[in-house]
Amino acid sequence: MTLVSSLVSWTVLFSLAISPSFGSLPERARTSYTKSGDFVIGGLFATYFSYYGVCDYGVLEESLEQSELMIFAIEQLNNRSDLLPNVTLGFDIRNYCGDESIAASLALSMAGVIDSENGTSGPHDRGQFIGIVGAGGSSSNIATALVTTVYEIPVVAYRGSTIELSDKRRFPYFLRTWPSASLQAGAIVDILLQFNWSYVGLIYSVNSYGIHGAQEVQRLAEKSGICLAYSLPIRASATENEIQEIVDKIFEIKDATVIVFITHLYSGDHYKILQNLWKTYPNHPGLRLVSSDTFGHVSTLEELGIANMTTGSFAIRNYFREVPGFVNYFQEAQADGHEQSPWLQASIEACKRKDECPLTTEGNKHHVVNAVYAFAWALDEILQADCDGKLACLTNGTVTGTALVTHLKDIKFNGVDGVFQFDEKGDPVGKYAVQSQQYQDGTYSDIDVGNWDSRGVAGDQLHIRAGSLPWVDGGVVAPRSVCREECRPGYKVIPLEEKCCYGCQRCQDNAVVVDDSRCVECGMFQWPSEDFTVCQNIIPSFIDWQNAVMIVVLVLSSMGVALTLLTGSGMLYYRRHALIKATGRELSFVNMGGILITFVAVYMMLAYPTTVSCFVSELLIALCMTLTFAPTTLKVNRIYRIFQAGKRSTKRPRFIGPRDQLVIASVLTFVQLLISICSVIWAPSLPKLYQQSKYKNYVEIFCEFGRGFLASCVYNLLLILVCCYYAFKTRKVPSNYNESKFIAVSVYSTLVLCLAAVPVYTTAVAVLQKVATLCMALLLNAYLTLVCVYLPKLYAARFVEDLEVADWRSRSEATTQSRASTSANASGIISRPRHVKVHPHPSTTNTGPL
C-alpha cells in the first residue's frame, strides 16, 4: 500500500468520523437491503440518480437490475449443493447515489468499521462480512478501493474500466469483472487500423477514466503507426470558450476526419463540442467518431440534431450476455407478497402510476453475477483446500481478506459468458460489441457490425463486417483520415511541416521507389517497371532497317552483290580474251571473291547481334579485306619484279606463274584465317549493350570487336601498306602496264577511307553511326576496286575491237617506251582498228599471261 493511498484513506475516514457534526449521509443513502447468512457479501449500486449531490431523482432501471441480479445470484448459490454445500450466503446492498464519497463511507459501514447513522464503528451482526460487489463507476471504485485496502476488504467491481485500478501496488484488494480500458483502447486502435485511419484526433475527459484511457490509446497508436493530430482534454462543465477552442482545432485540422472520444457519459460536454461544431461550421463535411463505451447512443445525438454529422461512426460497447432464468425471476419478484428490495418497491409504485408495469429488463448485466460467483468460488476453495471440507474451520478466522484475495486471483470457473478468470492485475478478459451509427429507413440507429475479443490472437481480435457498411457518401470504401497525399507511381513520400503529414516528390526517371520513402536508381541497362517498384532489364534495340541510312546501305550492298556477280560472270565469259589473261585471271577471280564477301559482310553486320553473328561478321570482314588486297598486292608486286628483272637481265622472275601466285594468296589468306580462329578463342567479338544515358529508357546492342579483330585489322593494314608501296614503285611503268596506276588509286583511296573511318567509328556515340561508318567504308572500298580495276577491262573486252596488250614477255622498259606510239587507257589498252597485237619478249618463252 502506497503512502498516497494511506493518506487518502485516512482523509476519507477522518471526514466520515466528523460527519455527524457537520451533516450526515443523504436519506436515500441510508437505506439498505440485507439478508443474513453464514457469510455476507456487500453490494454498492447507484439505484437513485444523483445530481449535484442531491440523491432524489428517481430509481435508475439499470442499477435496479444490477441489484436484483446480485440477489438472484446469491439465491442460486444458496440452492446449489455442489458449490459451498451447507453454507448460506447473505447480502447487504446499499445505494451510494453515484457519489464516490458516499461509496467509500458505505463500504466501511458494511464492513462494520463505522456506522452509517452516526459514524461510529461496530461489528456486522448478520454474518461474517467477506467483501463487496461494486461499485458502478471508475471514480467510485477508486475511492472504495482506497479505503477498503486499509482494512484488507476484497472488492470485486462489476463496472469501472479505468486503467488506474489495474495497479496492484495501490489496489491489492481490488478486482473487477468489467474489462479494463486498456483492452478498450486496443479495440479502438484495431478499428483505426481496420480502415487505415492513420491520422486522427483525440478528445478525452479530465478524470481518471479519460486520462488513463487517452494515455493507453496514445501508446498503442504510436506503436501501430497511427498519428494523433491533436490530443485535447475537456474538463467537466467546460466553459464556452474552452469548447470553442476545441471546435476551432477540429476545423483547422480537416484531414483528421476521425476523432477518438474517451469521455464521461454523464458530463455531456462531448455533445456540446459537436453542437458547436455544427453551429459554427454548418458546411463541415462531417466526422467519424470512434468512441468508448461511455459516449452514448445515436438516439441522443438525434435528439440534439447532430446525428447527421456522425453517420458511419463506431462505438465500443461492453458485451453483455443474458443471464439464464433472470427474466422470469425479475417478473416473479414484482408479484404481490414477494419479498422486495426498497428500490424495487419504489419502481413498482412508480410504474403503477404510469401504468407501465410490469418492469422489463434491459441488458442483463452478467458482470454482477460473475462478481458474486467469484466470491463463492474463492470461498469454496478455502473450504476445500485450507479447511479440508470442514465447515467449522471457516468460522475460526480462516476466511480473511488476504486469504480471500489470494484465492480470488487463482479461481477459474464457467461463468455466464464462458470460462472466467482474473489475470495478474485482477482484470478479466475483454469482449466488446462494435456498433456503427447508421441512417436506415428514415431513422438513425446503432447497428452491431462486429466484435472484439482479447482472447484472440494479436491481429485477429477484431471481427467486423466492414464490406457491407454504408458510408456517408453511399460507397462501400471507407473514407480517408490520413494526412498523406496519394502518391502516383514514381513519387516518394516526404514529410511536410505539419505534424505527421506527408507529401509527394518525383523520383528520377530511372529510379524505383523503395519503402515509399526512398528513390533508388536502377543499374545500367535497367529501367523501372510501370509502377516504379522494381528495376527491369531494358530490351535492347538494334538498327532499324527502315532508317534512311540503313536503306542506302542495303541498296548499295544489294547493287554491289549484283554488280560483282555480273563482273565475275563477264570475267568468266571473256576468260580467254587476251586482255583478261594478261591481267592474271586467277588472282582476279580471288579478288572478285573478296569483293563479293565484302558486300555479304554488310548484311551480316546488320543482323541482330549474337555470339554467332558477331563471330561471323568479324571473320567475313577480316577475310574480305584479305581476299581483296592479297591478290592486288601480288599483282603489283609481280609487275614491279618483272620490270626490275628486265633492267638487269632477260631471265624470268621466280614465282610469277598463276599457280605460284595462287599458292601465295592461299598462304596469306590462311594466315588471316588462323588469326581469326585465335581471336575467337582468346578475345572473341561479343554482343555489347550501349546506353547513351542512364536517364533514358533506351539501350542499343552491337558487336564489340575484340582484340583479335584488331590483330586481323593490323594484318590487313600491312597488306594495304605493302600494296601501296608497290603501287607507288610501279607508278612509272609503260602505259601498256598502267593497270598498276589504277590499282594505286584504289588502294590509296582505301587507305584514306580506313584512316577516316577509324576515328569516326571509335568516337561515334550511337550504334547506327558505328555500323553505318564501317559498312560505308567496306562498300566504298569494294566499289573502288570494281570501278577502277575490273569494269574498264570488261568494257574493253566487249566493246573495243583493236587492242594492244602488253605482257611480261615484252622488251625492257626503255625499249618498250621508245616503241610506244600511242597512249594507253585505264587498263593498258591501246586502240587499234580491227586487230589485237601482243608484244613478245625476245629472250623468254611464253610461260603464261601477265
Side-chain angles (χ1 to χ4, degrees), residues 196 242 266 291 302 321 378 557 560 609 612 765 792 850:
N196 296 319
E242 291 173 339
Y266 303 111
S291 57
E302 188 175 13
R321 285 292 298 271
S557 181
V612 175
V765 296
L850 179 63

Side-chain angles (χ1 to χ4, degrees), residues 165-444:
L165 289 169
S166 297
D167 187 354
K168 293 299 102 179
R169 292 177 299 176
R170 293 184 61 196
F171 309 107
Y173 289 86
F174 179 85
L175 302 94
R176 54 186 164 186
T177 58
W178 189 273
S180 169
S182 61
L183 300 179
Q184 192 171 166
I188 290 174
V189 171
D190 279 353
I191 291 176
L192 299 179
L193 293 173
Q194 173 80 19
F195 300 104
N196 296 319
W197 290 333
S198 59
Y199 189 67
V200 300
L202 174 63
I203 298 176
Y204 61 93
S205 297
V206 183
N207 54 28
S208 177
Y209 169 77
I211 292 173
H212 289 89
Q215 289 176 345
E216 185 67 10
V217 167
Q218 187 169 0
R219 184 185 70 84
L220 294 176
E222 183 177 352
K223 182 179 179 181
S224 302
I226 298 173
C227 178
L228 297 181
Y230 52 83
S231 181
L232 304 176
I234 180 170
R235 63 185 184 87
S237 303
T239 64
E240 287 296 325
N241 289 336
E242 291 173 339
I243 292 176
Q244 189 59 43
E245 287 179 3
I246 296 176
V247 168
D248 293 339
K249 190 69 173 181
I250 293 174
F251 183 77
E252 177 186 349
I253 306 179
K254 295 181 180 180
D255 289 323
T257 61
V258 172
I259 303 178
V260 176
F261 272 87
I262 303 179
T263 53
H264 197 278
L265 174 64
Y266 303 111
S267 68
D269 293 315
H270 47 277
Y271 299 142
K272 294 179 182 178
I273 294 174
L274 298 177
Q275 285 178 307
N276 281 29
L277 182 64
W278 179 255
K279 185 187 304 181
T280 308
Y281 305 106
N283 295 324
H284 194 277
L287 300 169
R288 259 71 56 189
L289 310 183
V290 180
S291 57
S292 62
D293 61 320
T294 58
F295 187 82
H297 294 271
V298 72
S299 57
T300 305
L301 298 176
E302 188 175 13
E303 292 175 2
L304 297 173
I306 54 177
N308 59 321
M309 288 189 63
T310 61
T311 303
S313 297
F314 292 93
I316 304 299
R317 306 296 183 194
N318 279 284
Y319 182 77
F320 299 114
R321 285 292 298 271
E322 181 178 349
V323 179
F326 176 69
V327 174
N328 293 333
Y329 167 83
F330 190 63
Q331 292 176 352
E332 291 175 359
Q334 300 177 49
D336 294 338
H338 195 282
E339 184 178 358
Q340 297 171 340
S341 69
W343 308 287
L344 180 58
Q345 292 175 3
S347 297
I348 292 174
E349 292 175 2
C351 75
K352 286 180 178 179
R353 291 194 300 268
K354 298 178 181 179
D355 195 22
E356 294 179 355
C357 288
L359 298 174
T360 58
T361 60
E362 179 187 351
N364 289 327
K365 310 301 187 295
H366 67 273
H367 301 90
V368 176
V369 176
N370 284 342
V372 174
Y373 267 76
F375 275 112
W377 279 101
L379 192 61
D380 186 72
E381 283 194 1
I382 294 177
L383 174 64
Q384 301 301 328
D386 299 344
C387 294
D388 197 20
K390 299 177 181 179
L391 294 176
C393 172
L394 292 177
T395 59
N396 294 333
T398 305
V399 181
T400 63
T402 302
L404 197 60
V405 162
T406 301
H407 285 281
L408 277 170
K409 292 178 180 178
D410 296 332
I411 61 169
K412 184 177 182 181
F413 63 92
N414 289 323
V416 179
D417 187 33
V419 177
F420 180 89
Q421 66 182 123
F422 296 105
D423 62 15
E424 67 278 1
K425 295 180 180 180
D427 298 330
V429 297
K431 188 172 183 180
Y432 300 97
V434 180
Q435 292 183 339
S436 178
Q437 297 175 357
Q438 300 295 335
Y439 182 75
Q440 293 181 345
D441 301 327
T443 59
Y444 293 95

Side-chain angles (χ1 to χ4, degrees), residues 64-83:
L64 174 62
E65 286 183 33
Q66 292 169 346
S67 64
E68 292 296 323
L69 276 167
M70 180 176 176
I71 299 171
F72 170 75
I74 289 178
E75 289 189 3
Q76 270 191 334
L77 288 169
N78 288 334
N79 293 327
R80 291 181 61 167
S81 59
D82 60 327
L83 185 63

Side-chain angles (χ1 to χ4, degrees), residues 548-559:
V549 176
M550 290 299 101
I551 292 176
V552 172
V553 170
L554 288 171
V555 170
L556 291 176
S557 181
S558 300
M559 291 176 57

Side-chain angles (χ1 to χ4, degrees), residues 739-783:
E739 179 186 21
S740 61
K741 296 181 180 180
F742 291 93
I743 291 176
V745 172
S746 173
V747 75
Y748 294 159
S749 301
T750 298
L751 187 60
V752 172
L753 285 173
C754 290
L755 294 177
V758 169
V760 173
Y761 180 85
T762 55
T763 59
V765 296
V767 173
L768 176 63
Q769 295 175 336
K770 290 179 177 291
V771 176
T773 299
L774 189 56
C775 288
M776 292 303 295
L778 293 174
L779 289 173
L780 290 175
N781 171 67
Y783 273 109

